[in-house]
Amino acid sequence: MKNGENYNNSRRNFLKIITTSLLAIPLLEACKEKVVTLLIRLSGTNHILGHRLRVKNFPKPTKEISVPYLIVGGGISGLSAARQLTKKGITDFLMVELEGHLGGNSSNGENQYSKYPLGAHYLPLPNLEDKALLQFLEEEKIIVGYDSKGFPKFDETQLTLAPEERLFYRNNWQEGVVPKEGNTTSEDQEFVRFFKVMDGFRRQKDEEGKYWFSIPLSECSQNKEVKALDAMTMQQWFESQNFTAKPLFNYIDYCCKDDFGLGIAYVSAYAGIHYFAARKQNASEDHQDSVLTWPEGNSRLANHLKKYVKGKSLKNHLVFEIENDTQKAVAKVFDNETKTTIAITANKMILATPQFVNQYLLKNRKDLASHFHYTPWLLATLVVSEINDNGSFPLCWDNVIYGSKGLGYVYDQHQSLQQLQDKKVITYYYSFSSADLKKTRREVYKKTKEYWKQMVFDDLKIAHPNIESLIESIEVHLLGHGMISPVPNFIFSDTKKEAAKPIDNTLFFAHSDVSGISIFEEAFHQGINTVNTMLDATTLDS
């Protein structure tokens, strides 16, 4: 959910420091009163309406609509599909979305002090080979030009401002998220060896000249050697390489949860290595260690895409059944505001919806969907009077706490040019990594907002012992199906390929889960590629 760790920054900072070396306070009584009056909100996706898909107790259609193209789902894949249709000269289409807003996991909230993310919150600088993404960033003035060497010039205000990231490790804050100060010599040596191995994977190509690891996944090598990495967990690979250092293990575990929701024990080794090796950091000479970010997170990118569906989207509308033949597809859509059902007929339909939804929309999809695993996530946005640090390194954009259950927090106002803030707004991230994600998801929805509040407090207290006395409000945001999580034998599986196949040249699928990795770039390319596939099929039909 925090997807896209700035790996090269971590590696460089670590190697720069390590090369040389290798040659809890009781709470105040006032805090108790503060907790009683604390404003707590619990929000999340509209899972209650979504769960009605199981019973389908919806009224019969009372209205009919016909459109040439229908996009089901208003996340990044669906919005990207709308953009691509528009670029192909097609503007007669309609989008339907369950939620009251568009953007999916690239959404945001806002309070009186700041906007804040409700999902993914930054975009690493794209690979220079990713021309489609570079073009989009140029269109939206995120790239403001190109230098004499052909490198894009990024808008400085949208690049991460310094200081970028820090780690609370051995009772002190240090720069970067790789544990450095306080390791043993052997632990430092393992970090150096690990980063060298990852650098090798980053450069590795097959006999056809394809990278083993790249973005999007559709551009990656398919040779047997690289596929073999998908048959084991990242932990099994870690152990097979004779790595034993606990700080390294914990760092990789953090990174795996960061992009995939699942930790080192459950995610495939291919996915785990992809985290470090797929991004080439070759789109800039001056800002290789930077990422693009905004107070509202990747909702900024979603907002750029929303203009393509202006006046063409129906929000708070749930598609609950789809029937199709080789000529058309019909979607039955429940309007949650009027409590009525609409039948929408389309010549072509793009399902930019995850497989856990598609299994209820289409016949004979439940077995297919059972092979897709989604990790629940929790985000908690806190308004605090101050962040009192136990350490000397200052508050950063990204703040990670070693040994905590969560993935740390981001300082949402970090990009603001007004650095003196009346209150500070931070967003905490937590992924529910487990061996049984369905069971975990059921348990998540049983907990109260008081339970989540205390869990967040207890985790933050590791680095901020008096955090409870400083908090004025907390909003907990739950995502039951936060992201697709690539377990072993999934990335290259036949079931994933089958889920992506069009049906009767009328139904086409575009979602990051049919790529296997839930990052902005994959969703963005899914929308583009699916539209291209659909239009190619239309040409063949004619």
Side-chain angles (χ1 to χ4, degrees), residues 31-167:
C31 175
K32 297 178 181 178
E33 182 178 353
K34 183 85 172 183
V35 174
V36 173
T37 60
L38 185 66
L39 176 61
I40 311 171
R41 294 189 182 91
L42 182 63
S43 66
T45 53
N46 196 347
H47 68 280
I48 295 176
L49 176 59
H51 285 178
R52 286 186 63 180
L53 282 171
R54 297 176 180 177
V55 293
K56 294 192 176 182
N57 56 340
F58 299 103
K60 293 182 178 180
T62 57
K63 181 180 178 181
E64 295 184 2
I65 298 176
S66 293
V67 292
Y69 301 94
L70 179 67
I71 302 172
V72 182
I76 296 300
S77 293
L79 292 171
S80 178
R83 171 180 174 270
Q84 185 67 3
L85 282 171
T86 304
K87 285 187 168 295
K88 293 291 185 177
I90 298 171
T91 57
D92 191 4
F93 59 84
L94 183 66
M95 172 179 285
V96 291
E97 165 59 39
L98 161 66
E99 299 292 337
H101 63 274
L102 304 176
N105 286 344
S106 292
S107 301
N108 75 281
E110 185 173 2
N111 57 36
Q112 67 186 96
Y113 305 108
S114 178
K115 294 179 179 179
Y116 52 87
L118 293 176
H121 71 280
Y122 67 105
L123 176 66
L125 299 192
N127 295 340
L128 199 56
E129 297 84 358
D130 194 345
K131 302 304 182 184
L133 183 52
L134 290 172
Q135 181 184 3
F136 168 64
L137 298 179
E138 186 177 0
E139 291 169 2
E140 304 307 332
K141 309 303 181 186
I142 298 171
I143 292 176
V144 295
Y146 288 81
D147 65 18
S148 59
K149 296 181 180 179
F151 290 109
K153 297 179 181 179
F154 294 91
D155 177 3
E156 296 281 348
T157 65
Q158 300 186 66
L159 290 169
T160 320
L161 301 177
E164 293 185 17
E165 53 191 13
R166 63 178 182 169
L167 174 71

Side-chain angles (χ1 to χ4, degrees), residues 30 61 84 149 185 235-236 379 386 391 483 500 523:
Q84 185 67 3
K149 296 181 180 179
T185 299
Q235 180 172 343
Q236 288 171 332
L379 290 81
E386 189 51 73
M483 58 166 57

